Amino acid sequence: MLDKNGIAKRIAKEIRNGYYVNLGIGIPTLVANYIPDHIEVVLQSENGLLGMGPFPFEGEEDADLINAGKQTITTLPGSSIFDSAMSFGMIRSQKIDLTILGAMEVSENGDIANWKIPGKMVKGMGGAMDLVASAKNIIVAMQHVNKAGESKLLPACTLPLTGVRCIKKIVTEMAVLDVLPEGGFKLIERAPGVSVELIHQSTLGKLYADENVPEMQLD
Amino acid sequence: MINKVVSGAAEAIRDIADGSTVMLGGFGLCGIPENCISALVSKGVKDLTCISNNAGVDDFGIGLMLHRHQVKKMIASYVGENAEFERQLLSGELEVELIPQGTLATRCLAAGYGMPAIFTPAGVGTEVAEGKEVRNFNGKDYLMEYAFDADFAIVKAWKGDTAGNLIYRSTSRNFNPVMAMAGRITIAEVEELVPAGALDPDQVHTPGVYVHRIFQGSGYEKRIEQRTVRPKN
């Protein structure tokens, strides 16, 4: 079973040289820590920055320079700054190669829910609806099951949707899965030590698995 | 050059009245018009419809106005940092319209560009789409979203001149340029106000034509929401 950093590490392997990438809040943010040195990527922060750098050194924080998670950050050589409309303009026009974001639920036809629990939690969708509606490539980083042990990979989402038929790949603490164009989750890899049987038990949506499902290679 | 300078925040917001629709720039607490928010709190104006990406935190930014129940309706994309907001929303005291962040920005842009509406795929198939016109272009569905119509837009810039030209600094730019374009009356507070001619025209982000009132603010707190650092070695 992977921890959050393990999920981030596995997702980092999906990033190709020259990608412009938008990382959501939570596990996706951790992905930046595992991008190998020989891969050059430009991280977009949708509050208006391309070329997001690491956290500033202690004492060098700049209140005017934050990422979409409101964390103090730095720029890098080649960074650029722009307004929110242009930021979503480049997202909508698919200039961003890859979006990585978290989810509360994903359905077997690629619907995603991650912004609201009616009557309990209302944080808002932020930029998630724009990102999932436009991105050409989206990877979801999420827990396979909730705290009660219930599957978050479902036949249909129960929570209000963020986007429809948009998710193609999911990485959880147990597995890497593709969402098939005709519907259903396809098990691609399993986390070290996790059995196909356990993944079946933890997936409420339709799950397809070949006879031999390879373990993830994390290093 | 037309002189847009007013004495300060109180004069700048003098005609913002109960029931006004007010846009406020900023992302989180970054680039928010701190001086004007304080003036709105002092004035006690109420029943406002506020359009802003976020709603501040409990004791800063728009949170200060929420705390005094000055806001009737909030239009925002993300309000997760404000417990008082969530409480008022779930108890029904506050009317809220949550809209996708790109839609929020582009509805401002449309207003500033003189376009009545935009088409965006954000929210198609979700509750955001309820009651909205859907159009299909090249095989993909888009929602029609209207340009905002705000009585006032209040923005924060780094530098401005007496003609109302604005330059923003770093990511405190965010929503400020598009909101500056979108208000019927736009108020800009700046950290440094300079005479017309002191800014390089090539470097201006918001042309003065969009700005009706400008003043040099003071006492900026610039609170940091998430102070993340790495150790110096």
Side-chain angles (χ1 to χ4, degrees), chain A residues 64-216:
Chain A
D64 288 340
L65 183 51
I66 63 168
N67 63 17
K70 283 92 176 177
Q71 297 171 311
T72 47
I73 46 151
T74 55
T75 55
L76 295 170
S79 286
S80 56
I81 304 238
F82 35 85
D83 66 56
S84 300
M86 185 177 282
S87 187
F88 284 93
M90 63 185 73
I91 288 165
R92 246 184 261 113
S93 59
Q94 302 196 329
K95 307 296 180 195
I96 305 300
D97 299 290
L98 174 63
T99 289
I100 302 170
L101 80 176
M104 297 173 187
E105 295 177 346
V106 174
S107 77
E108 63 188 31
N109 67 356
D111 296 352
I112 176 173
N114 72 354
W115 72 283
K116 184 179 183 182
I117 303 172
K120 278 191 190 155
M121 185 281 285
V122 188
K123 293 191 185 302
M125 65 290 281
M129 283 196 183
D130 307 271
L131 283 158
V132 299
S134 296
K136 46 188 170 188
N137 191 5
I138 306 171
I139 300 176
V140 167
M142 66 188 292
Q143 301 295 328
H144 214 105
V145 294
N146 65 19
K147 284 185 186 117
E150 297 159 337
S151 178
K152 295 164 72 170
L153 278 63
L154 304 170
C157 292
T158 63
L159 295 170
L161 296 178
T162 307
V164 295
R165 294 182 175 278
C166 51
I167 306 305
K168 295 186 182 75
K169 192 179 278 293
I170 303 161
V171 180
T172 74
E173 75 279 21
M174 295 185 194
V176 178
L177 309 107
D178 281 350
V179 178
L180 298 171
E182 64 274 21
F185 300 107
K186 171 81 196 270
L187 182 55
I188 304 297
E189 295 173 15
R190 55 200 174 78
V194 174
S195 68
V196 173
E197 194 190 350
L198 179 62
I199 296 165
H200 262 292
Q201 285 166 8
S202 308
T203 308
L204 215 54
K206 210 175 294 162
L207 180 73
Y208 300 96
D210 292 339
E211 212 164 301
N212 291 306
V213 179
E215 272 196 7
M216 294 178 197

